[in-house]
Amino acid sequence: MESQEKIKIRVCQGTTCFVMGASRLEGLETQIPPQWRQKVEISAQPCLGMCQKAGFMKAPFVRIGDEIIGSATVDSVLEKLSGIFK
Amino acid sequence: MPTETNTVLLRREVIVRLIKGFLSDSFRKRADDLPFDMRPKYAEVPFRCCIHKERAILRERAIAVLGASVEQDDDKTPLGEYAQKSLDRKAPDQTVLTVVETACQGCTPNRIYVTDLCQGCVARPCTSACAFGAVSIKNGRSVIDGSKCKGCTKCMQVCPYGAIVKIKVPCEDACPVGAIAKNEKGHAQIDFSRCLSCGACVARCPFGAVAEKSQIIDILKALQSDKKVVALLAPAAAGQMPVGLGRIASGLIKAGFDAVLEVAQGADITAKTEAKDFQERMERGDSFMTTSCCAAYRELVKKSVPELRPYVSDTATPMHYTAQLAKRKYPDCVTVFVGPCVAKRMEGLQDGYIDYVMNFEEMGALFVALSIELSACEEYVFETPSSKQGRNFAVTGGVAESIRVAGSTGVSDFRPVCVDGLNAKVIREMTLWAKKKATVPGNIIEVMACTGGCVSGAGCLNNQKAAAKKVTAYAEQGAELTPDPANGELEKK
Ligand code: FES
């Protein structure tokens, strides 16, 4: 468990995601429960390319590990994480 | 806009879809289909009682984006027809707000209410605190008689349990001049003879029931014409996106604008002109002067507090000066002010130098519709660099400070006061200043209708705190404003 790689969380800060609500994810870092903090690494990234593939209506996008979630909110990111860490 | 709530995102989606519709070869059909594309058969119904209500609301939101008034809608005119009208009209409508009637919840009226937390205590301070005899005890609990209650909140203040609350109608509570109230049909109605177009109700209604009548279709038409179209980017723009102002400007060029001017450039002229005005007024013995750049404040003076008129600086707004510069440089061009403000839309309709107004939300929607990724745009180089002080106009305190710097060679007695957000109380106070019935706490009064300044405007994309920080950081990179004589060639209105 100890040597496990951190789960990478990439919050899209591309233009489409930002306009369609990415600033709602601003507080994400602080809302990760303490027991998970060491296990994740959060950063912002310009356009993940999903706005073209999946459509702007699904923005904002967040990549968690290899998976991308659309219409992302702090809650939906935390839910995904709880699935990973259960 | 404080937070990106669901209503805000819905509105943005409607704008993006209509822009895409305009750019397609089937605008009318895409407009007709919009409510059904957003809520297709069997789709989830996230917010309202049923899919039909959601579609009806989306239809009305689309009417506003197409620039028409929902108040005049008959429920049966197809959206495609509204789309066609938006294509045919020569000029935008003369009112800037509309109530999305189906979205309006018809909230319970403003009142003071005793909740279940009432313990029916023995002391009963609420009954004795009420000067109007409105509180009585029924079944061991306090009850308020609405016909006697004057809403003074004394009972609330004395309740040891905090069991008495004030129920507010958000739009009515937000409006500084009582211009929005429920009509006999039970939904909000705007009294345009009083409305300042400040946008407080737009920002506050949790149902998103007050909407701006957009000019986006008119702007798209201009972009497709052979006329030059110049964007005038308000100082608050620097805080709206993850990227800086230069890239936002490049994005606008990609979207089809021919040139972009920083309105901060006009703000520099406003500051210098206003400093001169201030000096003259102090020399002739005036007790105070107020700034003139906030469009909602100008409406306030015009519509409800004429006593203040003599104290408002005669200086024109940064938007006006910048538009004038644009029209001089590109004769015959179409000017589009891009800003955070509902009231600027109103000002734009009254100012001959301004053709259209687009808010930041509509700008963002334009980028989304055209798939313009700003981080991939290069830095736009503005022809005339703006000053640090001009860039700071968007944040409370910035305007007064710019006048101080611009006039640093003139009046030494400079006592600024910021009216940071208009509300009924501060309007009463200012009226007393004008009537010489109360001492004015300073001699130069900066008035901002929105608390925090333009970065809190209802048409913003980013939240106020983040935006203010970015605007200030951008301002810091600017050169100091030089206190030289104002650009006398530009006309005031
Ligand atoms: S902007 Fe987020 S995926 Fe493109």
Side-chain angles (χ1 to χ4, degrees):
Chain A
M1 241 356 227
E2 246 101 280
S3 62
Q4 192 189 22
E5 256 190 61
K6 287 191 178 181
I7 302 223
K8 293 195 177 78
I9 302 178
R10 298 285 174 263
V11 179
C12 183
Q13 288 283 302
T15 302
T16 295
C17 285
F18 191 80
V19 172
M20 297 312 293
S23 76
R24 279 172 153 188
L25 293 157
E26 231 172 7
L28 179 64
E29 192 109 45
T30 56
Q31 297 203 44
I32 302 272
Q35 70 272 25
W36 296 347
R37 291 243 171 101
Q38 296 307 315
K39 300 185 190 167
V40 299
E41 181 213 303
I42 304 176
S43 62
Q45 195 167 308
C47 188
L48 298 169
M50 288 306 292
C51 53
Q52 297 309 312
K53 267 187 247 161
F56 77 95
M57 311 83 75
K58 293 263 153 52
F61 296 95
V62 172
R63 182 158 61 213
I64 303 174
D66 296 329
E67 224 184 303
I68 292 190
I69 55 175
S71 309
T73 58
V74 170
D75 284 347
S76 67
V77 171
L78 292 181
E79 202 184 301
K80 190 95 234 161
L81 285 178
S82 70
I84 295 174
F85 291 134
K86 72 166 181 266
Chain B
M1 198 64 214
T3 45
E4 294 186 311
T5 58
N6 297 322
T7 55
V8 171
L9 298 180
L10 274 175
R11 186 168 70 207
R12 290 183 194 166
E13 185 175 341
V14 172
I15 307 172
V16 176
R17 283 180 182 270
L18 287 171
I19 296 174
K20 282 179 175 260
F22 173 89
L23 297 170
S24 73
D25 43 22
S26 50
F27 185 27
R28 283 186 74 141
K29 167 137 186 22
R30 303 262 299 243
D32 276 333
D33 289 351
L34 181 137
F36 304 90
D37 288 342
M38 283 182 71
R39 293 289 176 268
K41 198 172 180 183
Y42 304 131
E44 224 184 291
V45 180
F47 305 119
R48 305 286 183 155
C49 57
C50 65
I51 200 164
H52 310 292
K53 179 146 185 187
E54 291 217 356
R55 285 178 186 154
I57 295 169
L58 290 168
R59 175 179 168 279
E60 291 183 6
R61 289 194 196 289
I63 291 174
V65 175
L66 293 168
S69 288
V70 178
E71 288 86 346
Q72 275 142 37
D73 175 51
D74 58 4
D75 274 6
K76 64 177 185 190
T77 306
L79 279 176
E81 214 161 291
Y82 281 105
Q84 189 59 47
K85 276 189 210 153
S86 74
L87 291 176
D88 297 342
R89 71 171 165 244
K90 294 277 170 293
D93 260 16
Q94 292 300 302
T95 53
V96 299
L97 291 174
T98 183
V99 175
V100 183
E101 291 174 350
T102 309
C104 178
Q105 174 76 351
C107 308
T108 39
N110 275 326
R111 65 198 163 115
I112 314 288
Y113 177 73
V114 184
T115 66
D116 286 352
L117 297 173
C118 172
Q119 307 290 313
C121 65
V122 178
R124 294 175 183 171
C126 51
T127 53
S128 46
C130 182
F132 311 102
V135 189
S136 59
I137 306 292
K138 280 201 187 89
N139 303 328
R141 292 256 191 92
S142 299
V143 209
I144 295 172
D145 178 348
S147 64
K148 291 183 184 159
C149 175
K150 298 262 190 286
C152 73
T153 74
K154 283 264 165 55
C155 57
M156 271 171 70
Q157 292 161 30
V158 296
C159 175
Y161 296 100
I164 307 177
V165 295
K166 184 172 182 179
I167 301 179
K168 300 176 198 166
V169 179
C171 60
E172 292 178 17
D173 190 55
C175 181
V177 289
I180 190 162
K182 271 204 277 188
N183 61 16
E184 58 309 328
K185 289 180 216 94
H187 49 63
Q189 185 173 339
I190 298 170
D191 174 357
F192 288 105
S193 69
R194 279 146 93 186
C195 175
L196 311 180
S197 311
C198 68
C201 54
V202 179
R204 195 83 75 79
C205 173
F207 288 90
V210 191
E212 282 187 69
K213 286 160 68 180
S214 180
Q215 300 170 5
I216 190 72
I217 303 299
D218 310 78
I219 295 167
L220 291 168
K221 281 190 285 180
L223 290 174
Q224 283 191 346
S225 73
D226 6 299
K227 285 204 172 173
K228 272 204 164 23
V229 187
V230 182
L232 315 172
L233 206 42
Q240 298 304 315
M241 286 283 181
V243 300
L245 198 68
R247 291 209 158 92
I248 296 176
S250 279
L252 288 170
I253 298 287
K254 262 201 181 160
F257 286 85
D258 295 282
V260 185
L261 265 65
E262 256 188 284
V263 174
Q265 186 189 343
D268 286 349
I269 302 170
T270 296
K272 290 172 188 177
T273 314
E274 212 151 21
K276 209 163 131 240
D277 191 11
F278 177 63
Q279 187 177 341
E280 283 166 15
R281 284 165 184 263
M282 291 302 110
E283 279 164 5
R284 75 172 187 222
D286 281 15
S287 53
F288 70 101
M289 180 188 94
T290 79
T291 55
S292 60
C293 47
C294 174
Y297 170 59
R298 291 165 83 113
E299 287 288 302
L300 172 77
V301 174
K302 198 163 77 186
K303 288 179 170 163
S304 17
V305 198
E307 296 90 340
L308 275 166
R309 180 74 275 270
Y311 298 96
V312 183
S313 173
D314 303 312
T315 311
T317 65
M319 169 170 99
H320 175 81
Y321 287 131
T322 315
Q324 226 179 326
L325 290 170
K327 294 258 180 187
R328 182 186 292 176
K329 176 125 202 278
Y330 309 97
D332 240 19
C333 72
V334 173
T335 49
V336 179
F337 175 80
V338 185
C341 179
V342 181
K344 283 286 172 202
R345 222 185 261 283
M346 184 49 103
E347 188 188 327
L349 289 171
Q350 298 159 358
D351 187 324
Y353 285 98
I354 298 290
D355 294 300
Y356 302 114
V357 173
M358 164 161 97
N359 68 23
F360 292 144
E361 204 163 59
E362 291 156 354
M363 175 186 78
L366 187 63
F367 293 149
V368 173
L370 297 171
S371 304
I372 293 173
E373 172 54 41
L374 294 178
S375 61
C377 295
E378 67 282 14
E379 287 285 323
Y380 183 84
V381 185
F382 293 100
E383 229 179 68
T384 313
S386 55
S387 78
K388 171 180 168 183
Q389 283 74 20
R391 294 173 182 184
N392 253 333
F393 258 58
V395 182
T396 294
V399 182
E401 172 61 12
S402 77
I403 299 171
R404 187 189 67 78
V405 174
S408 55
T409 47
V411 187
S412 56
D413 178 28
F414 189 87
R415 289 172 288 122
V417 173
C418 294
V419 170
D420 189 16
L422 285 178
N423 55 50
K425 183 164 166 259
V426 82
I427 293 172
R428 266 196 307 274
E429 248 172 82
M430 292 183 75
T431 313
L432 292 178
W433 299 344
K435 289 182 171 164
K436 301 197 165 71
K437 285 187 181 149
T439 13
V440 192
N443 58 3
I444 174 100
I445 319 289
E446 175 192 299
V447 188
M448 291 284 190
C450 299
T451 309
C454 313
V455 284
S456 310
C460 279
L461 265 173
N462 205 352
N463 70 67
Q464 181 235 335
K465 240 167 104 192
K469 218 166 118 194
K470 290 194 81 168
V471 167
T472 315
Y474 174 63
E476 285 305 322
Q477 298 163 20
E480 291 285 329
L481 185 67
T482 41
D484 60 6
N487 192 337
E489 303 160 72
L490 292 178
E491 325 148 17
K492 291 171 190 168
K493 254 181 277 192

